[in-house]
Amino acid sequence: MRKPQWCLAFARGLDEAEALRRIGAGKRSIRLLTCRELIDEGVFPGTVLAERLKDWTVLIEPHGWQASEPGVLRALSAGTKAVTVMRQDHSAHLFEYAVDGEMVTSFDPMIPAWRYGSDPDRLVDAMRAVGFDPGYAPGDGDENEEEIFDHPTVDGALLLAFRLTGVILTQDVLNRSLLGGVVDSRA
């Protein structure tokens, strides 16, 4: 069974409407929606949901990736912090941490040794705390390739996002009406 592509972004100190505008949602498209309405009304593709939890706004892209785009993440983190976790079947998964418009640390959870950004090692201790081996890269001489399955992947990235934000996205949140907006991915 294939798991769907999705992206979660966490932006500190922004309200839902501002976070949606920063990732490219048209002002006129922003309104309250439920997951059921998204499916029934056919606006699911391109629609991003937002919910304020503690001091962070969580952006939920059920089939999207917009928040992980470099220019979008720069805008989302301008004057604040942002964390994204993206799961994708046909490409690399992704964890990103940006501060004030600058990519600080970025890596594929399947290959945590290959980190990028202005300070790629900033989160090494936090990565270890959630079970990542910051030096792990598949095929780097491991004799037992089955160990790959013992390494955290997207689940570990979600734990790392929780460690940085203190925010857990629960089913209760997904069951209520959330502010949503349509992002034009061609922009």
Side-chain angles (χ1 to χ4, degrees):
M1 176 182 198
R2 286 182 60 133
K3 294 182 180 178
Q5 166 182 307
W6 51 261
C7 184
L8 296 177
F10 304 79
R12 186 171 188 175
L14 303 179
D15 67 34
E16 297 95 321
E18 175 64 16
L20 286 166
R21 284 190 297 272
R22 286 189 182 198
I23 68 163
K27 195 181 263 190
R28 295 175 69 184
S29 75
I30 296 175
R31 64 185 177 108
L32 282 175
L33 293 166
T34 64
C35 286
R36 172 126 357 249
E37 287 173 310
L38 286 177
I39 294 166
D40 292 346
E41 293 180 17
V43 294
F44 202 55
T47 300
V48 179
L49 296 173
E51 178 67 1
R52 181 84 180 227
L53 299 170
K54 298 183 181 182
D55 193 32
W56 295 79
T57 292
V58 181
L59 297 164
I60 306 159
E61 295 183 75
H63 288 285
W65 65 91
Q66 291 303 313
S68 68
E69 292 291 322
V72 174
L73 189 57
R74 257 192 308 280
L76 188 60
S77 68
T80 190
K81 298 176 183 179
V83 175
T84 63
V85 177
M86 183 180 66
R87 185 200 189 289
Q88 210 177 97
D89 283 338
H90 59 277
S91 186
H93 306 311
L94 189 60
F95 177 91
E96 299 170 307
Y97 175 69
V99 177
D100 200 18
E102 180 179 20
M103 176 62 68
V104 175
T105 304
S106 174
F107 66 94
D108 178 338
M110 297 287 290
I111 313 170
W114 298 353
R115 294 181 301 282
Y116 307 93
S118 63
D119 188 359
D121 294 336
R122 182 178 296 185
L123 302 178
V124 165
D125 290 339
M127 290 171 70
R128 282 190 183 104
V130 299
F132 280 108
D133 173 357
Y136 176 75
D140 64 0
D142 284 347
E143 290 182 25
N144 186 359
E145 285 298 318
E146 290 179 18
E147 290 180 17
I148 291 171
F149 299 106
D150 292 336
H151 294 275
T153 58
V154 176
D155 293 344
L158 289 170
L159 286 172
L160 184 56
F162 166 71
R163 187 169 182 84
L164 296 172
T165 66
V167 171
I168 295 175
L169 185 61
T170 64
Q171 189 64 46
D172 180 54
V173 171
L174 296 173
N175 288 339
R176 59 184 176 227
S177 292
L178 304 173
L179 203 59
V182 178
V183 174
D184 184 356
S185 62
R186 297 168 295 177

